Amino acid sequence: YFASSFLPAPTQLSQDQLEAEERLRAQKSYSTALVSSRREPPPYGHRKGWVPRSLEDFGDGGAFPEIHVAQFPLEMGRKKKTSNALAVQVDAEGKIKYDAIARQGQNKDKVVFSKYTDLLPKEVLNQDTPELQKPDEEAVKELTEKTRAALDKQVSQKIAAAMPVRAADKQAPAQYIRYTPSQQGVAFNSGAKQRVIRMVEMQKDPMEPPRFKINKKIPRGPPSPPAPVMHSPSRKMTVKEQQEWKIPPCISNWKNAKGYTIPLDKRLAADGRGLQTVHINENFAKLAEALYIADRKAREAVEMRAQVEKKMAQKEKEKKEEKLRELAQMARDRRAGIKSHGDKGGEDGEARERDEIRHDRRKERQHDRNISRAAPDKRSKLQRDQDRDISELIALGVPNPRSGSEAQYDQRLFNQSKGMDSGFNGGDDDTYNVYDQPFRGGRDMASNIYRPSKNIDKDAYTDDFDSLIQHNRFVPDKEFSGADHGQRREGPVQFEEDPFGLDKFLEQAKHHGGSKRPSTSSRSKDDYHDKKRRKE
């Protein structure tokens, strides 16, 4: 009794106390021994106001549909609440063990310093203290045997695992466990309060392959807990200390890897511009004043120029109005038959007539120039021949331009008097005589074709065009010695067959000299000399 007065109250009851409490609870809940200890739900029709809460309320059945309450028979459908909170543990003095958080997941024998008393130095003990004495021989032998047995067990397991055929492991002896169920009563555990369980190790097949893969990489366990930091009692900081401990952030003008939005005042404060005195150069004021003066002078110049132009335009307008007024007065006087004052009016009238004649001639020249520019090869002929008669056109050898949409055909193709062999030259296909008559072989037509165009040469020679027309263009300036001036050629060059006797000369050279060089045709020689004559 003396010791129990100082010790704290026990947290768990003994077996006898549990049995006594169970006996009292059974006497209070059951009035007689004939009543069954099993609770059953009330019968149908008498369940008004009754709500099933525990497992016994449902019996062996399911939920009651007429009771509109969330029901969980056999705990089906109830969400299991999982929590990582630790159970509250109390030390010998009845205080809560807060160091259980630091010991979580660690070995139970691991030393974790988590109290203030762990920092205190230990007392210096005397040499004769039993804690400092060496163990005796019996304790040393006992500990040695335990260590040898543990090492032998590990070595034998390694050797047995490496052998291809191994014997069955020896079974551990059976263990007897006394089990006291939490649900007590006649309906549970066959009415027994305790049970004795015999636990035997299951026989293991030595030839069975491993069931689980043990070569998987598993995450490491939690590391050792951090050393507890013992803080001194907190005290309030002054405003001065807070400002001293305020460290400005490092703000760069070039990099912002995190992408923070930095206010402009913070950026300027970090730049250190507030520490510099602002000094403005006086040349800025001079430049601004010079620009202002230049702008004002430019505006004045523009305004003055506009006024001058306005005055000039006004004077020009007044002069035109005066001239128009004079012309109107002169027209009125001429209509009325009144003679103008002096000889000045007569001189003005003659000058005006001359100007009108000049203006008319200028218009005519402009009209002719436009006509010649629009179609220089056709307009001149049309303008020249538009008043001529058809007989004059036929006499001049001008072709009759047929105006109409009908197709034009060569009349020589309709020659039906010669038969089928006319187009094939009597069946001779080797010759190439498509045309049997010259196309407009008249003398006038040849002179018209080889005459230079008037309008084309007018652009190149302008004023000397008439002299160039009168000059014979196809007469060479430098003549060959021995040329015949009596015969004049009009039209294209007409070649003669071997006028120089080259073929005869080449034949003689071939017979006398034995040369095998091929003779040149007379037509190609004449063509060459004619081209040379034209160039000269």
Side-chain angles (χ1 to χ4, degrees):
Y1 177 77
F2 180 75
S4 62
S5 61
F6 292 101
L7 294 175
T11 57
Q12 296 182 357
L13 301 178
S14 62
Q15 186 66 28
D16 298 336
Q17 292 175 348
L18 290 174
E19 291 178 0
E21 287 186 359
E22 184 66 26
R23 198 178 301 112
L24 290 174
R25 194 181 303 111
Q27 290 178 1
K28 290 180 181 179
S29 60
Y30 308 113
S31 58
T32 59
L34 296 176
V35 180
S36 175
S37 64
R38 184 174 183 179
R39 288 193 300 172
E40 292 184 357
Y44 188 76
H46 299 280
R47 297 172 182 170
K48 186 176 181 181
W50 179 74
V51 178
R53 300 294 185 186
S54 60
L55 294 177
E56 291 86 357
D57 295 340
F58 295 99
D60 293 335
F64 300 96
E66 68 273 13
I67 301 174
H68 302 289
V69 179
Q71 305 174 32
F72 304 98
L74 299 179
E75 298 294 333
M76 291 188 299
R78 190 188 298 275
K79 293 183 180 179
K80 296 182 180 180
K81 296 181 180 180
T82 58
S83 176
N84 57 354
L86 298 175
V88 179
Q89 298 180 9
V90 184
D91 58 357
E93 297 179 358
K95 297 180 180 180
I96 299 175
K97 289 183 177 181
Y98 292 103
D99 57 348
I101 300 174
R103 292 179 177 274
Q104 182 182 8
Q106 303 293 335
N107 190 5
K108 61 179 181 178
D109 297 331
K110 190 171 184 178
V111 178
V112 178
F113 300 101
S114 60
K115 294 182 293 184
Y116 172 70
T117 55
D118 295 336
L119 297 177
L120 299 177
K122 285 191 174 184
E123 298 179 1
V124 179
L125 302 178
N126 195 6
Q127 294 182 357
D128 300 334
T129 306
E131 296 179 1
L132 299 178
Q133 300 300 322
K134 291 184 179 180
D136 52 358
E137 293 182 359
E138 294 181 0
V140 172
K141 288 182 180 180
E142 184 179 356
L143 188 59
T144 305
E145 290 297 331
K146 284 184 179 180
T147 306
R148 184 182 293 108
L151 293 175
D152 290 342
K153 185 178 180 181
Q154 290 185 1
V155 171
S156 62
Q157 288 179 355
K158 296 286 185 181
I159 294 173
M163 293 181 65
V165 180
R166 49 182 295 190
D169 296 333
K170 294 182 179 180
Q171 294 183 358
Q175 295 180 357
Y176 295 92
I177 302 171
R178 178 177 291 180
Y179 169 64
T180 304
S182 60
Q183 294 176 339
Q184 295 289 337
V186 182
F188 301 99
N189 201 18
S190 302
K193 296 180 180 179
Q194 289 184 350
R195 280 176 175 258
V196 177
I197 300 173
R198 181 174 177 267
M199 187 175 292
V200 183
E201 187 177 357
M202 184 178 177
Q203 182 69 37
K204 186 177 180 181
D205 187 5
M207 302 299 293
E208 183 183 9
R211 294 183 181 180
F212 309 105
K213 294 180 179 180
I214 58 174
N215 57 350
K216 289 184 178 180
K217 292 183 178 180
I218 57 175
R220 293 183 178 179
S224 59
V229 180
M230 301 299 175
H231 297 282
S232 60
S234 61
R235 64 179 183 274
K236 288 186 177 182
M237 290 182 65
T238 61
V239 180
K240 184 179 179 182
E241 290 179 350
Q242 289 180 1
Q243 292 178 354
E244 289 176 353
W245 277 101
K246 191 174 182 180
I247 301 172
C250 181
I251 300 173
S252 175
N253 288 329
W254 298 276
K255 294 182 180 180
N256 189 8
K258 299 285 186 177
Y260 293 140
T261 303
I262 302 170
L264 292 178
D265 55 347
K266 303 296 188 299
R267 187 175 288 279
L268 293 176
D271 199 4
R273 298 181 185 180
L275 304 177
Q276 300 174 1
T277 57
V278 180
H279 178 70
I280 301 175
N281 196 344
E282 59 181 5
N283 292 332
F284 285 106
K286 293 180 180 178
L287 176 63
E289 188 176 0
L291 291 175
Y292 175 73
I293 293 172
D295 182 75
R296 187 180 62 189
K297 289 185 176 181
R299 289 178 185 275
E300 291 176 357
V302 169
E303 187 176 357
M304 190 180 300
R305 195 179 299 113
Q307 291 179 359
V308 170
E309 290 178 357
K310 190 175 181 182
K311 289 180 180 179
M312 291 176 65
Q314 186 70 19
K315 289 182 180 179
E316 190 73 21
K317 186 177 180 183
E318 291 176 357
K319 193 181 296 182
K320 286 184 179 180
E321 289 179 353
E322 185 67 25
K323 190 175 182 180
L324 290 173
R325 198 178 296 111
E326 291 178 359
L327 291 174
Q329 185 66 31
M330 290 174 61
R332 271 191 237 105
D333 295 344
R334 194 182 298 110
R335 197 181 300 116
I338 302 172
K339 210 169 188 181
S340 58
H341 303 289
D343 298 335
K344 186 177 180 181
E347 293 177 1
D348 292 342
E350 293 177 0
R352 193 179 299 109
E353 289 178 0
R354 288 195 297 271
D355 291 340
E356 289 178 357
I357 293 171
R358 289 194 195 97
H359 183 65
D360 293 340
R361 289 181 179 176
R362 192 182 301 112
K363 286 182 67 176
E364 289 177 0
R365 286 195 299 272
Q366 182 68 24
H367 182 63
D368 296 340
R369 197 179 303 116
N370 292 339
I371 290 175
S372 62
R373 189 182 296 113
D377 53 348
K378 294 183 180 180
R379 291 282 181 165
S380 59
K381 292 181 182 180
L382 292 174
Q383 191 173 4
R384 186 180 67 228
D385 301 336
Q386 62 185 351
D387 297 330
R388 287 186 175 180
D389 195 4
I390 301 298
S391 59
E392 293 180 4
L393 293 174
I394 294 173
L396 291 172
V398 179
N400 182 21
R402 294 183 180 180
S403 60
S405 60
E406 59 181 5
Q408 298 180 4
Y409 301 97
D410 192 355
Q411 297 295 330
R412 294 169 296 177
L413 299 175
F414 301 104
N415 187 8
Q416 299 179 358
S417 62
K418 291 187 179 180
M420 287 296 294
D421 59 347
S422 62
F424 296 95
N425 196 11
D428 189 7
D429 295 337
D430 296 334
T431 59
Y432 184 72
N433 295 326
V434 179
Y435 305 106
D436 55 352
Q437 296 177 5
F439 176 71
R440 290 178 181 173
R443 184 175 179 183
D444 298 332
M445 182 55 62
S447 64
N448 288 331
I449 290 176
Y450 285 94
R451 187 174 183 178
S453 177
K454 178 179 180 181
N455 294 319
I456 293 175
D457 293 337
K458 189 174 181 180
D459 296 336
Y461 301 102
T462 60
D463 299 333
D464 299 335
F465 180 67
D466 295 332
S467 61
L468 289 173
I469 290 177
Q470 295 173 4
H471 178 65
N472 195 351
R473 188 175 182 181
F474 294 100
V475 175
D477 296 334
K478 296 180 181 180
E479 298 179 349
F480 294 101
S481 60
D484 187 8
H485 296 283
Q487 185 180 0
R488 291 291 180 183
R489 183 180 74 247
E490 293 183 359
V493 178
Q494 297 178 0
F495 298 101
E496 297 178 359
E497 185 176 359
D498 197 9
F500 301 105
L502 286 175
D503 290 340
K504 187 176 180 180
F505 173 73
L506 291 173
E507 286 292 334
Q508 293 176 2
K510 184 177 180 182
H511 287 296
H512 292 288
S515 175
K516 295 183 180 181
R517 295 176 63 185
S519 62
T520 309
S521 64
S522 61
R523 179 178 290 272
S524 61
K525 287 287 184 180
D526 294 340
D527 193 5
Y528 169 73
H529 289 293
D530 187 65
K531 285 184 180 179
K532 186 174 181 181
R533 204 178 301 120
R534 283 187 184 181
K535 288 182 181 179
E536 293 177 353

